[in-house]
């Protein structure tokens, strides 16, 4: 048989009947809506693609179609319940629950059907079945919607048994049975997105894998300006046809002085899924229950950008069959079931490609471009700023930009263009730190070392090692420090430069130099008895740390050249107190 038009396919007929049923239900004719869905479900003959050989190419579509069938099946039961049907629904609800024992909405439908059939005790028993299943297998209590239904049964709420003939019932004001179109809220990504192929592929694989009893959750974390949002948007756009019931997006503003309230996001998501504004509860728990009921059975992708912490994300998670993509400057270690993706810096080749795309130049000047990418710390935000400035100034040369970035004292000033500003971006992360963490960040930046052993770092901070380690690990989680190996801490280039600026602005010269002296002494003690490679590494740390102490009258004896970080004014001011 030759199919001349997609509309001849059973799937097209199924979707058309599904849409027609939703429209009919909005008019209050639930009998007719249920009949249309019976007709749609009658097109199925077993599981989707059951006569097609099992291959990876079709496995995802098979899962999606079978999930869609179950969603429509449950929606048809809901229409029957709205029409007043009770007893006849009990056997098929039991059948559905056998296949999906953790779907709370099915338990709720079965409780309502039993209650309408005069079987109140059995309806209450179903709630206990649900609670036992959820506690034993998942360790959670039933959600607010199911608990509220249970309380209504105990009160023998008259509304549970009363119904009007469907054709006489006015349209429901609270929410539509199905929105006319799946919501799609993704903002556009950038056209010159560069690199990250491996990271993007890994994200997509994670978000489309089997989520079991909950949604798939991927968390992309990284330092300020590393391109987390753009990576998330690129992956989400590629997945837009996979999540057939829509894509929701929210900027959680985690680095702002006041981050987004989850209650406001829940209300926005509920409206996107069909709820009328007037029917959205003001209480956060009730709003969450509405959102979860609207999201139940749907295949949604929820993108939550710039999360402050796990507690901001948890209320926004949809149910099984959906996926959640979160970005954050912090590692969200408290989000159960989430797969972490730490986003590092670009490779040199990726950084060069990004700079040239934005600038529109530099293809024949590899040395100058290499210098620019290194001085931008291979950070996407910094590369975009440098490229945008060059593109806006036709009279400037690529080499000229490289030279402007060569001066470390003014590099941060160069990395600013309109609302793109590396210093301002880092400041948002820094300003959110508690006082001891901010002090540690700025003092350790003074060392200018590739990596600091914990013993040296704790000495610089004048803290016990255990307390210092706690602070440093939290700075690593905030992506303000790196941890190349256990017990060793360092900086990427631009955060170190920013930290040095903050140290100069906050700490006195005496405090800065005292921290460096403590670190240099600890580095000498750590070097005793170590194997040659480790000793060489620590000597380099001593060289960096000892430079300032050398400059104020305490030369080191390891024979390496010392760089002088103290200014002449600082040396003169401290000469009498330090020597």
């Amino acid at each position: 048989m030759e199919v001349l038009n997609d509309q001849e396919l059973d799937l097209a007929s199924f979707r058309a009947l599904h849409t027609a049923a939703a429209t009919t239900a909005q008019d209050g004719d639930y009998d007719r809506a249920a009949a249309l869905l019976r007709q749609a479900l009658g097109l199925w003959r077993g599981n989707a693609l059951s006569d097609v050989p099992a291959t990876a190419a079709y496995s995802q579509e098979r899962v999606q179609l079978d999930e869609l069938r179950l969603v429509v099946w449950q929606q048809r039961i809901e229409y029957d319940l709205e029409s007043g049907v009770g007893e006849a629904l009990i056997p098929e609800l039991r059948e559905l629950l056998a296949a999906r024992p953790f779907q709370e909405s099915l338990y709720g439908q079965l409780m309502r059907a039993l209650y309408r059939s005069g079987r109140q005790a059995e309806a209450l028993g179903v709630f206990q079945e649900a609670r036992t299943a959820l506690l034993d297998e998942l360790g959670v209590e039933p959600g607010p919607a199911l608990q509220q239904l249970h309380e209504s049964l105990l009160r023998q709420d008259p509304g549970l048994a009363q119904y009007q003939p469907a054709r006489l019932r006015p349209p429901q004001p609270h929410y539509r049975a199905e929105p006319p179109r799946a919501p799609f809220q993704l903002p556009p990504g950038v056209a010159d997105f560069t690199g990250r192929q491996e990271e993007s592929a890994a994200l997509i694989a994670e978000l489309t894998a089997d989520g079991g009893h909950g949604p798939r959750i991927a968390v992309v974390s990284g330092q300020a300006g590393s391109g987390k949002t753009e990576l998330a948007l690129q992956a989400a756009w590629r997945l837009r046809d996979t999540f057939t019931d829509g894509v929701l997006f929210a900027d959680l503003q985690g680095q702002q002085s006041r981050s987004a309230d989850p209650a406001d996001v829940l209300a926005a998501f509920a409206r996107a899924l069909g709820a009328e504004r007037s029917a959205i509860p003001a209480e956060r728990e009730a709003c969450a229950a509405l959102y979860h009921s609207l999201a139940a059975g749907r295949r949604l992708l929820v993108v939550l950008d710039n999360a402050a912490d796990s507690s901001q994300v948890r209320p926004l998670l949809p149910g099984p069959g959906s996926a959640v993509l979160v970005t954050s400057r912090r590692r969200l270690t408290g989000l159960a079931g989430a797969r972490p993706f730490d986003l590092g810096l670009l490779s040199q080749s990726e950084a060069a490609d990004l700079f040239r795309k934005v600038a529109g130049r530099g293809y024949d000047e590899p040395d100058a471009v290499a210098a620019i990418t290194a001085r931008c710390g291979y950070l996407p935000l910094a590369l975009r700023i440098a490229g945008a400035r060059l593109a806006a100034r036709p009279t400037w040369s690529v080499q000229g930009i490289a030279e402007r970035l060569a001066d470390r004292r003014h590099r941060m000033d160069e990395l600013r263009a309109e609302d793109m500003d590396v210093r301002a971006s880092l400041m948002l992360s820094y300003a959110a730190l508690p006082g001891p963490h901010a002090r540690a960040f700025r003092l350790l930046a003074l060392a200018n070392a590739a990596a600091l052993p914990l013993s040296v770092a704790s000495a610089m901070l004048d803290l016990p090692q255990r307390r210092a380690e706690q602070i440093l690990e939290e700075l690593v989680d905030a992506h303000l420090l790196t941890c190349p190996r256990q017990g060793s801490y360092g900086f990427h280039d631009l955060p170190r430069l920013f930290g040095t600026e903050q140290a100069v602005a906050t700490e006195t010269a005496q405090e800065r130099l005292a921290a460096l002296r403590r670190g240099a002494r600890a580095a000498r003690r750590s070097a005793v008895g170590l194997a040659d490679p480790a000793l060489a590494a620590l000597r380099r740390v001593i060289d960096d740390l000892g430079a300032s102490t050398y400059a104020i009258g305490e030369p080191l004896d390891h024979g390496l050249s010392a760089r002088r970080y103290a200014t002449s004014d600082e040396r003169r001011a401290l000469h009498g107190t330090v020597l």
Side-chain angles (χ1 to χ4, degrees):
M1 174 182 175
E2 181 181 4
V3 178
L4 300 177
N5 190 304
D6 286 351
Q7 299 307 310
E8 298 179 26
L9 296 172
D10 284 347
L11 180 59
S13 300
F14 177 82
R15 293 187 185 278
L17 288 166
H18 187 199
T19 301
T23 302
T24 303
Q26 289 178 49
D27 294 334
D29 191 346
Y30 294 105
D31 282 340
R32 174 64 179 158
L36 288 169
L37 290 190
R38 284 191 186 88
Q39 184 180 349
L41 292 165
L43 297 171
W44 287 76
R45 294 175 290 278
N47 292 331
L49 305 176
S50 57
D51 54 350
V52 176
T55 64
Y58 295 111
S59 61
Q60 189 62 41
E61 294 212 15
R62 181 181 283 111
V63 170
Q64 292 176 19
L65 290 172
D66 285 337
E67 180 71 20
L68 179 61
R69 178 195 183 195
L70 286 170
V71 168
V72 172
W73 189 352
Q74 189 177 357
Q75 186 64 67
R76 196 229 78 219
I77 291 172
E78 186 63 32
Y79 292 156
D80 278 334
L81 282 168
E82 291 289 341
S83 299
V85 179
E87 188 91 30
L89 299 175
I90 295 171
E92 63 179 319
L93 279 167
R94 290 286 189 190
E95 179 184 351
L96 273 172
L97 266 173
R100 310 180 96 186
F102 304 110
Q103 186 158 331
E104 296 184 35
S105 56
L106 287 172
Y107 286 107
Q109 288 181 323
L110 180 57
M111 289 164 66
R112 289 158 60 201
L114 286 165
Y115 187 84
R116 283 189 177 170
S117 304
R119 298 157 68 173
Q120 180 182 0
E122 290 181 63
L124 293 170
V126 169
F127 177 80
Q128 295 305 320
E129 290 176 27
R131 187 171 184 271
T132 299
L134 293 169
L135 278 174
D136 287 352
E137 297 297 328
L138 305 180
V140 297
E141 291 280 354
L146 199 61
Q147 292 191 37
Q148 289 171 11
L149 176 59
H150 180 238
E151 292 171 3
S152 297
L153 291 174
L154 291 172
R155 294 196 311 269
Q156 297 185 335
D157 187 339
L160 292 172
Q162 295 175 358
Y163 66 93
Q164 298 171 289
R167 289 181 180 81
L168 301 178
R169 182 178 298 181
Q172 298 299 300
H174 52 291
Y175 63 87
R176 299 186 290 271
E178 291 277 344
R181 295 183 62 183
F184 188 82
Q185 299 181 333
L186 272 188
V190 295
D192 53 12
F193 183 78
T194 303
R196 308 295 198 192
Q197 286 87 356
E198 291 183 9
E199 294 92 335
S200 182
L203 267 182
I204 289 171
E206 178 65 23
L207 293 169
T208 54
D210 180 12
H213 303 310
R216 299 299 297 181
I217 308 171
V219 180
V220 179
S221 62
Q223 74 175 82
S226 59
K228 301 177 294 296
T229 297
E230 289 306 326
L231 174 62
L233 290 178
Q234 291 292 326
W237 273 95
R238 289 174 61 184
L239 289 169
R240 64 188 182 278
D241 294 329
T242 300
F243 291 90
T244 52
D245 293 311
V247 180
L248 302 175
F249 177 88
D251 181 358
L252 300 184
Q253 301 175 351
Q255 293 303 316
Q256 303 301 319
S257 57
R258 179 171 180 154
S259 58
D261 187 339
D264 295 335
V265 181
L266 285 167
F269 283 176
R271 288 197 299 273
L273 293 174
E276 297 293 340
R277 186 184 297 270
S278 60
I280 296 175
E283 299 79 11
R284 175 171 153 178
E285 291 76 11
C287 191
L290 173 61
Y291 164 63
H292 292 141
S293 67
L294 290 167
R298 298 180 192 249
R299 187 168 176 80
L300 296 168
L301 175 61
V302 180
V303 182
L304 303 173
D305 189 31
N306 201 15
D309 52 37
S310 298
S311 65
Q312 192 184 27
V313 172
R314 290 191 197 102
L316 308 175
L317 300 179
S322 293
V324 183
L325 178 50
V326 186
T327 74
S328 178
R329 295 190 183 190
R330 300 188 57 83
R331 290 188 175 99
L332 302 188
T333 54
L335 200 56
R339 167 80 182 279
F341 290 85
D342 278 355
L343 192 61
L345 301 173
L346 294 175
S347 68
Q348 198 284 326
S349 61
E350 290 175 331
D353 286 345
L354 176 58
F355 172 78
R356 288 190 291 249
K357 281 184 181 180
V358 177
R361 285 189 272 163
Y363 294 93
D364 56 348
E365 299 178 74
D367 292 342
V369 170
I372 290 168
T373 58
R375 290 162 188 170
C376 287
Y378 308 105
L379 187 71
L381 175 61
L383 292 161
R384 285 191 174 280
I385 292 171
R389 294 191 70 196
L390 184 60
R393 292 165 175 80
T395 60
W396 286 16
S397 67
V398 177
Q399 183 60 38
I401 285 282
E403 291 170 357
R404 295 177 76 94
L405 293 170
D407 186 348
R408 290 172 57 86
R409 294 170 301 173
H410 302 294
R411 188 175 299 169
M412 285 293 191
D413 297 324
E414 296 294 334
L415 293 175
R416 180 173 56 197
E418 290 196 285
D419 60 344
M420 295 191 296
D421 187 335
V422 171
R423 181 187 283 120
S425 182
L426 287 165
M427 180 60 80
L428 290 174
S429 295
Y430 173 75
L433 295 175
H437 298 63
R439 174 179 176 270
F441 172 74
R442 58 183 180 257
L443 284 183
L444 295 182
L446 293 170
N448 198 30
L452 292 172
L454 175 59
S455 59
V456 175
S458 63
M460 287 189 68
L461 302 179
D462 200 18
L463 290 173
Q465 284 199 20
R466 184 163 185 172
R467 174 57 177 156
E469 184 179 34
Q470 179 187 7
I471 291 174
L472 299 182
E473 287 296 327
E474 289 173 6
L475 287 172
V476 171
D477 284 341
H479 288 282
L480 286 169
L481 285 185
T482 64
C483 185
R485 58 187 177 277
Q486 185 174 359
S488 180
Y489 301 91
F491 286 83
H492 290 308
D493 289 346
L494 295 179
R496 180 195 289 120
L497 187 57
F498 173 79
T500 302
E501 287 185 349
Q502 298 308 308
V504 171
T506 306
E507 310 288 342
T508 67
Q510 186 169 357
E511 289 168 337
R512 298 199 303 273
L513 295 170
L516 288 166
R517 287 181 55 174
R518 290 193 300 268
R521 290 167 180 164
R524 283 199 211 90
R525 291 193 297 270
S526 299
V528 175
L530 294 179
D532 286 347
L535 180 57
L538 283 168
R539 279 181 172 172
R540 287 193 294 272
V541 174
I542 293 171
D543 185 39
D544 286 325
L545 289 173
S548 293
T549 58
Y550 177 86
I552 59 172
E554 189 185 21
L556 300 177
D557 58 6
H558 53 74
L560 300 179
S561 62
R563 279 171 282 175
R564 303 190 176 193
Y565 293 98
T567 67
S568 57
D569 288 342
E570 290 171 350
R571 291 199 300 274
R572 284 194 295 271
L574 291 167
H575 186 76
T577 59
V578 176
L579 291 180

